[in-house]
Amino acid sequence: MKISIPAILVFFTSVISTAANALEYDNGRLGLKLNGYGTAGVLEPDFETPDFIGDWRVRGEANYLITDDNTLGLVYAIDAAAVDEDKFMREAFTYWQNRNYGRVELGFTDSIARKLGVGLPDVGGLRVNDKPLFYKKITPSGPVISDTTLTTGRSALRANFATMPIGKAQYGLSVSGITDDYDYAVDAALKIRQPSGKVKMAYALGASFMSKPDGYRTDAYTPRVYADWRAQVSGGMNLQYNSWMWGVTARLIYDENPIGPVSDGLALGTGVSYDILNYSVSLTYIFSDTGIWNHDVKDYMDHTAIASFRYKYSENVDGWMSLGITTDTPFLAVGMRLTF
């Protein structure tokens, strides 16, 4: 029996359009929210045989307003990136938020350096800022640091604290442990925003120290880390002028006395996007250089450039197309994305 992908997408479009207004509840004290997205498409490495690609995420949140200033909440999310690594959640945590002081999170979630970081402009559906989808179909010939935002994973019990904006600045601190991957990790972050005016700006800076990584890996395309300690720094900037967005990001990783294949180095990226009516276009470039600190082995460099186009058909449905090239392989990808 042949299954029509367009027919399936039309069916899910109608379901989401019908349910979109029923996925959020708020009675003044208790709030419930369920949102997510699904992407289906094809990718052609070397412009030859097309291969199916899929991506999705579902996130649920419940919060209760204890007083006018204090809120308690629970969050659970799962996505394709987590399932690819045989994990049953992307994040699961509880939080307390005070509108005057800030927010505390406890559970399994991203570090504060990642949450306060900035990504690269990209309108395609290849998840450029979070374990890119194209590397599921195009295996790199060496280790690639594909994510330019600092991360220490989501598999360790973590406590995050972020202040409310103090002027234009926001500060954050993370502590994580109780995991087989490392002894403990401490992350810090600073974000500065200028959200008003003709030119809107956001700057982010993150730093991290991890003690005794033991088989630890967050970048899906690098070897597991065995070392005395790992240190990371990251920085980024987003500038918006009318419908133009420009971003620059960088991440530096250093492992002390690594054992086995090296997986530290640097990743740099830049990108620009432009929106007009229901259309968006973007151009993104990422450079990765792995093994720069170890002179006993040859470092591996990877260049990736992607041009993307997106058409927003409705509030919940849009289509996208990306034309890109990695160090060795050009590719074409097209797909449709449904959100709710």
Side-chain angles (χ1 to χ4, degrees), residues 115-186:
K115 291 192 175 189
L116 293 184
V118 296
L120 295 172
D122 176 71
V123 303
L126 295 175
R127 207 170 60 204
V128 166
N129 289 300
D130 184 11
K131 299 179 181 177
L133 277 174
F134 49 83
Y135 276 129
K136 293 181 65 175
K137 307 300 179 181
I138 305 172
T139 303
S141 56
V144 173
I145 303 170
S146 62
D147 196 331
T148 57
T149 305
L150 189 156
T151 178
T152 49
R154 297 185 292 265
S155 299
L157 184 64
R158 181 184 303 278
N160 282 341
F161 171 71
T163 67
M164 296 299 289
I166 302 172
K168 296 180 180 180
Q170 188 173 14
Y171 306 89
L173 181 69
S174 286
V175 179
S176 61
I178 311 180
T179 174
D180 294 332
D181 293 337
Y182 51 82
D183 285 352
Y184 66 88
V186 179

Side-chain angles (χ1 to χ4, degrees), residues 126-297:
L126 295 175
R127 207 170 60 204
V128 166
N129 289 300
D130 184 11
K131 299 179 181 177
L133 277 174
F134 49 83
Y135 276 129
K136 293 181 65 175
K137 307 300 179 181
I138 305 172
T139 303
S141 56
V144 173
I145 303 170
S146 62
D147 196 331
T148 57
T149 305
L150 189 156
T151 178
T152 49
R154 297 185 292 265
S155 299
L157 184 64
R158 181 184 303 278
N160 282 341
F161 171 71
T163 67
M164 296 299 289
I166 302 172
K168 296 180 180 180
Q170 188 173 14
Y171 306 89
L173 181 69
S174 286
V175 179
S176 61
I178 311 180
T179 174
D180 294 332
D181 293 337
Y182 51 82
D183 285 352
Y184 66 88
V186 179
D187 300 358
L190 166 66
K191 190 167 190 176
I192 300 174
R193 297 183 182 92
Q194 182 178 307
S196 60
K198 197 167 186 178
V199 178
K200 300 176 176 63
M201 296 179 287
Y203 304 92
L205 180 66
S208 171
F209 175 84
M210 178 183 294
S211 175
K212 293 183 171 57
D214 184 14
Y216 163 80
R217 180 175 65 184
T218 55
D219 293 275
Y221 322 105
T222 56
R224 296 188 179 276
V225 182
Y226 300 86
D228 291 346
W229 49 265
R230 162 170 282 202
Q232 299 183 70
V233 293
S234 66
M237 174 187 68
N238 281 171
L239 296 180
Q240 182 179 350
Y241 175 74
N242 292 331
S243 297
W244 288 95
M245 172 72 79
W246 175 51
V248 179
T249 56
R251 177 181 174 199
L252 191 68
I253 306 172
Y254 174 79
D255 294 331
E256 178 71 6
N257 296 326
I259 300 174
V262 296
S263 59
D264 56 3
L266 64 88
L268 308 171
T270 187
V272 63
S273 67
Y274 179 72
D275 299 327
I276 180 170
L277 300 176
N278 292 342
Y279 302 91
S280 301
V281 293
S282 68
L283 181 63
T284 307
Y285 169 75
I286 299 176
F287 168 72
S288 169
D289 193 348
T290 309
I292 60 176
W293 314 115
N294 193 323
H295 300 292
D296 297 330
V297 297

Side-chain angles (χ1 to χ4, degrees), residues 91-104:
E91 55 184 3
F93 65 91
T94 182
Y95 68 84
W96 166 73
Q97 182 167 301
N98 180 282
R99 68 171 62 184
N100 298 313
Y101 297 105
R103 176 177 170 120
V104 177

